[in-house]
Amino acid sequence: MNRTIGILLIAPFASAIAFAQTSDSLLQLEDVFNLEYASGLTINNDGDEVYFVRNYMDIQTDKKLGNIWKVDKNKNLTPVTNGLHVDYSPTLSPDNTKLAYISTASGKPQIHMKWLSSGDTAQMSHLTHAPANLSWSPNGKQLAFTRFVDSKPKSVVSLPGMPKGAKWAKPAIFIDDMYYRFDGAGFSKQGNSHIFVMSSDGGSARQLTSGQFDHGGKLSWSKDGSQLFYASNKRPDSDLEWTDNNIYSLNLKNKKTHQLTDRVGPDRSPMVSPNGKMIAYLGANQHYKNYENTELYIMNIDGSDKRSLTANLDRSINSIKWADNSKAVYFNYHDHGETYVAYQPLSGKRKIVAQNLGGLSFGRPYTGSQFDVAEDGTIAFTYSNPQRPADVAITKKGKTTQLTALNNDFLGYKTLATIKELNVKSSFDQRNIQAWVAYPPGYEQGKKSGKTYPLILEIHGGPVTNYGPHFSAEVQLMAASGYVVVYANPRGSDSYGKEFAQTIHNNYPSQDYDDLMSVVDGVIEQDAINKNALFVTGGSGGGVLTAWIVGHTDRFKAAVVAKPVINWFSFVLTTDIYPFVIKNWFEKMPWEDSAHYMKLSPISYVGNVTTPTMLLTGEADQRTPIAETEQFYQALKLQNIDTAMVRIPDSPHGIYKRPSNLMSKVAHILWWFDQYKTEE
């Protein structure tokens, strides 16, 4: 984005900055383009080098780009790839002499190879669709991957009579699939994801699977390289049981498959042990609830003797990695808004071996993270700091070393919000509700002088996700404009156990409203808050709760409802994942229990709204389609409530398709709040 435009966007907020810092020391909208973060970590066998994607925002193209870098245990940084494109999924060969990765250098995502001793690189594939899930064979001679394979488009009619050279309208699109569009991808093409294998020296890729089922997710090789293990949903009614994946083996010679798991529920991410005798995988039983804990399972290589290693851990497992001795599995999980890596022996007590993971969410303070483990047990992970996006760190035998400081050259000269934890008791049932408060630069000095501050309640989406003490560009920009910002994990959030998450099953929104109001009261009780300048915003599930809040209280001066569900009846019949939502979030079809659907819909309470409310949604949003936003906007207009609608062109549900979209979202939120802010 042009820097002048960015300055104009932030100008209306300058009046809110009433502390000693100069504007140059405060985070500003256009500073989004100066931020970087690490992702895609892979560590070498010796544990002394980490390869990672160094993500950055290009101001000229308004895109997120990334190249692969290497950092060693002495903190020496070296570029591995370069160019104005996206390189991702770095994967070291078993002998650590080659690095396979995916790059858009040629215009489309293709497999590339880097020979680490010579520094030579080459494009290895020329595929029509993007490859994914790269996996080296144990001997390093082959690469397996998945990619989409087109099938013939469905057409039931052929129009006769078109003269040669005539230009008629585009043909009609015939659709009879249950899932026919997806957020961020648009209308689905006919075809499926299949498994391929190719020589690591280049050449043609061989397709190993076929049929009308998707063969996706992580791939793992048998020790002798004769089999691949993967997850797939091959049920005849797979559209209705969307998440019922099972683990399969695939013989590379004759392409025969064998099913290893058979329960109802998602089994995925198979990983063969280094000794080749066992498979670790992730899974859960399907109980048609809004949430189930994902557990770590192991079984013999033939699928026998299945057992959970984490049945006694009331948390979900995110990803796994075998220990080199095949006697334990490393895994990461969320707990109370933070992320840890645990070492789980096949028999015995687990222990936490790495903490402070996170930093991948970037825009909002979610708990995204990655980790990898070397043969010697060194753990590489994305390091989370409330004032920094993800960096690279390693830990070994209890000693953690941060290897990169990607943003110190920029953020080191900025005064950022400080983040402090807050715990309150819900007014509904005295449950403990965890939250974090971001204090604007100069807050303590202003508090001593008797100054009070406006407060923003920022609500996470999901609804079964969680916030934590992680970097958030949105929160930092709001605080830089003089607001105290509080964000919380109300009931329904994960990382607090299954019961806590399931309290909102078929009951959302409900008492999560009470939790959030208790959090606001807790901040007011302890901090210098202007009680006449309270504001609320949230996106997706947070948009649902924001719309619910303004229909149930008038204590907020203004609200911004981002990408919401306003009407559950219309939403479940227009969202891209409608069978999943109906089967797992509700107990009946909407026409069978319309009263219940409407009872939980913010549109039912629009007659109570007096709060000035802005709506903000991406025009390409397929998850919470913009028609939901339009319903609330038009209803508020009919009620003569101050309202506005902001439509982000071409943006899907995440909104941040381009860095300037993040700027635009925050700029509109702060402009709206500034219109209704009063000094105390």
Side-chain angles (χ1 to χ4, degrees):
M1 173 174 280
N2 182 285
R3 187 174 180 87
T4 302
I5 295 176
I7 293 172
L8 290 174
L9 285 171
I10 199 168
F13 318 134
S15 61
I17 303 170
F19 8 91
Q21 287 79 10
T22 66
S23 59
D24 287 343
S25 70
L26 299 173
L27 197 66
Q28 302 184 36
L29 287 173
E30 63 267 36
D31 290 336
V32 166
F33 284 102
N34 292 316
L35 298 174
E36 301 180 71
Y37 67 95
S39 67
L41 278 58
T42 184
I43 191 169
N44 69 347
N45 294 337
D46 295 333
D48 57 6
E49 294 179 342
V50 181
Y51 293 82
F52 67 98
V53 179
R54 188 170 182 173
N55 301 276
Y56 64 97
M57 316 299 152
D58 182 54
I59 197 168
Q60 295 296 330
T61 60
D62 191 18
K63 292 181 179 179
K64 184 189 79 172
L65 303 177
N67 300 127
I68 298 170
W69 285 63
K70 179 183 75 175
V71 62
D72 65 25
K73 64 180 182 180
N74 296 318
K75 304 183 182 181
N76 297 311
L77 273 166
T78 308
V80 178
T81 67
N82 59 75
L84 293 174
H85 48 258
V86 181
D87 303 319
Y88 60 101
S89 298
T91 309
L92 280 165
S93 61
D95 63 3
N96 286 188
T97 62
K98 300 177 184 177
L99 184 78
Y101 61 97
I102 300 172
S103 176
T104 63
S106 63
K108 292 183 178 180
Q110 299 291 346
I111 300 171
H112 288 242
M113 190 75 71
K114 178 91 171 184
W115 283 261
L116 297 176
S117 59
S118 68
D120 294 330
T121 62
Q123 180 177 324
M124 309 297 286
S125 70
H126 298 83
L127 306 170
T128 55
H129 291 285
N133 302 302
L134 297 182
S135 179
W136 284 92
S137 64
N139 62 9
K141 293 183 178 181
Q142 297 184 90
L143 275 171
F145 61 94
T146 62
R147 78 165 178 89
F148 186 80
V149 177
D150 293 300
S151 61
K152 187 177 180 180
K154 296 179 181 179
S155 179
V156 296
V157 299
S158 179
L159 299 182
M162 182 172 131
K164 184 177 181 180
K167 295 182 179 180
W168 286 15
K170 292 181 179 180
I173 300 172
F174 178 79
I175 296 172
D176 64 356
D177 296 315
M178 180 75 75
Y179 292 98
Y180 59 93
R181 56 188 168 89
F182 284 100
D183 184 67
F187 285 93
S188 303
K189 294 182 178 180
Q190 292 296 312
N192 294 94
S193 177
H194 288 295
I195 299 172
F196 290 74
V197 67
M198 67 181 295
S199 169
S200 59
D201 292 327
S204 299
R206 181 166 66 106
Q207 184 173 337
L208 298 178
T209 60
S210 59
Q212 297 181 0
F213 302 107
D214 290 318
H215 302 73
K218 294 185 177 180
L219 306 175
S220 185
W221 293 76
S222 61
K223 187 176 182 179
D224 64 3
S226 66
Q227 296 183 87
L228 278 167
F229 298 88
Y230 66 96
S232 181
N233 183 343
K234 299 186 180 182
R235 293 178 59 130
D237 60 346
S238 60
D239 284 343
L240 288 172
E241 298 294 344
W242 191 33
T243 61
D244 189 20
N245 293 317
N246 281 293
I247 307 296
Y248 291 82
S249 64
L250 168 67
N251 186 298
L252 271 68
K253 187 174 182 180
N254 58 27
K255 300 183 182 181
K256 289 185 178 180
T257 63
H258 177 65
Q259 185 172 337
L260 300 180
T261 63
D262 59 3
R263 63 159 166 203
V264 178
D267 290 324
R268 59 181 177 84
S269 302
M271 182 171 286
V272 177
S273 60
N275 64 12
K277 296 180 180 180
M278 293 169 288
I279 298 173
Y281 62 101
L282 299 176
N285 291 305
Q286 174 64 278
H287 295 301
Y288 302 105
K289 298 288 187 180
N290 69 310
Y291 174 84
E292 293 292 341
N293 281 333
T294 298
E295 297 180 29
L296 164 60
Y297 290 84
I298 59 168
M299 60 182 170
N300 292 332
I301 197 73
D302 62 0
S304 62
D305 193 23
K306 300 176 181 68
R307 59 190 175 98
S308 171
L309 299 182
T310 59
N312 63 347
L313 176 64
D314 189 17
R315 299 291 185 270
S316 273
I317 311 306
N318 299 312
S319 58
I320 55 177
K321 177 78 174 180
W322 277 98
D324 190 57
N325 60 11
S326 299
K327 294 182 179 181
V329 180
Y330 295 88
F331 66 84
N332 67 337
Y333 67 101
H334 305 318
D335 183 40
H336 288 77
E338 301 202 49
T339 306
Y340 302 90
V341 176
Y343 177 85
Q344 174 66 66
L346 301 189
S347 59
K349 188 176 180 181
R350 73 182 66 91
K351 62 179 180 180
I352 292 174
V353 290
Q355 55 188 352
N356 297 320
L357 280 75
L360 292 185
S361 177
F362 186 73
R364 297 164 75 187
Y366 288 113
T367 48
S369 65
Q370 295 171 336
F371 80 99
D372 194 20
V373 184
E375 289 182 353
D376 70 348
T378 301
I379 302 168
F381 61 94
T382 54
Y383 176 76
S384 173
N385 182 322
Q387 295 191 326
R388 296 288 188 275
D391 272 302
V392 179
I394 57 171
T395 186
K396 184 178 181 181
K397 296 181 180 179
K399 181 182 178 181
T400 297
T401 304
Q402 183 179 335
L403 299 182
T404 67
L406 300 179
N407 292 278
N408 277 6
D409 57 343
F410 167 62
L411 292 181
Y413 297 93
K414 295 287 183 178
T415 305
L416 299 180
T418 56
I419 311 294
K420 294 183 180 179
E421 184 178 332
L422 170 69
N423 287 275
V424 303
K425 298 296 183 182
S426 173
S427 62
F428 178 74
D429 58 4
Q430 297 301 298
R431 285 177 184 266
N432 186 71
I433 305 300
Q434 189 178 25
W436 290 265
V437 184
Y439 297 95
Y443 171 80
E444 291 296 336
Q445 181 180 350
K447 180 180 179 181
K448 291 176 182 177
S449 68
K451 176 181 172 62
T452 59
Y453 291 79
L455 173 71
I456 295 176
L457 169 64
E458 209 286 332
I459 310 172
H460 74 61
V464 186
T465 53
N466 67 86
Y467 276 163
H470 310 294
F471 180 84
S472 164
E474 285 193 33
V475 169
Q476 289 290 345
L477 285 166
M478 291 174 181
S481 290
Y483 291 85
V484 171
V485 185
V486 61
Y487 55 92
N489 287 331
R491 71 191 63 210
S493 305
D494 61 6
S495 82
Y496 300 89
K498 184 164 70 172
E499 188 273 338
F500 190 87
Q502 287 185 348
T503 53
I504 64 168
H505 176 67
N506 202 26
N507 185 38
Y508 166 70
S510 57
Q511 288 75 47
D512 35 8
Y513 163 82
D514 301 287
D515 300 344
L516 292 168
M517 294 306 98
S518 298
V519 166
V520 171
D521 291 338
V523 181
I524 292 173
E525 182 179 349
Q526 73 172 21
D527 291 314
I529 303 300
N530 180 353
K531 291 183 284 187
N532 295 316
L534 306 180
F535 302 91
V536 59
T537 187
S540 192
V544 178
L545 280 164
T546 303
W548 183 269
I549 284 169
V550 297
H552 288 76
T553 182
D554 61 358
R555 71 184 300 188
F556 294 94
K557 294 289 289 186
V560 177
V561 176
K563 49 188 178 182
V565 174
I566 295 299
N567 181 331
W568 287 109
F569 199 118
S570 61
F571 165 74
V572 298
L573 298 178
T574 56
T575 183
D576 60 335
I577 55 171
Y578 61 109
F580 173 81
V581 172
I582 292 175
K583 290 178 73 71
N584 292 278
W585 291 12
F586 294 93
E587 295 177 352
K588 295 181 180 179
M589 294 292 183
W591 50 87
E592 296 172 341
D593 196 4
S594 59
H596 181 71
Y597 277 74
M598 297 311 297
K599 177 184 176 182
L600 299 177
S601 296
I603 195 68
S604 297
Y605 308 95
V606 71
N608 300 333
V609 177
T610 60
T611 305
T613 301
M614 174 186 279
L615 286 298
L616 187 152
T617 302
E619 289 190 324
D621 194 330
Q622 304 273 14
R623 188 59 42 85
T624 55
I626 200 164
E628 292 294 305
T629 289
E630 291 170 337
Q631 284 185 61
F632 208 57
Y633 172 75
Q634 294 181 186
L636 291 171
K637 280 292 186 184
L638 291 171
Q639 289 288 110
N640 199 31
I641 303 300
D642 287 347
T643 187
M645 177 168 54
V646 178
R647 305 167 70 100
I648 309 296
D650 303 320
S651 285
H653 188 63
I655 290 184
Y656 304 152
K657 184 177 181 180
R658 311 184 79 167
S660 65
N661 293 151
L662 187 155
M663 295 170 63
S664 183
K665 178 187 176 185
V666 176
H668 280 96
I669 290 172
L670 291 175
W671 177 83
W672 186 253
F673 289 168
D674 265 13
Q675 308 311 300
Y676 301 96
K677 187 167 58 179
T678 57
E679 299 295 333
E680 190 172 59

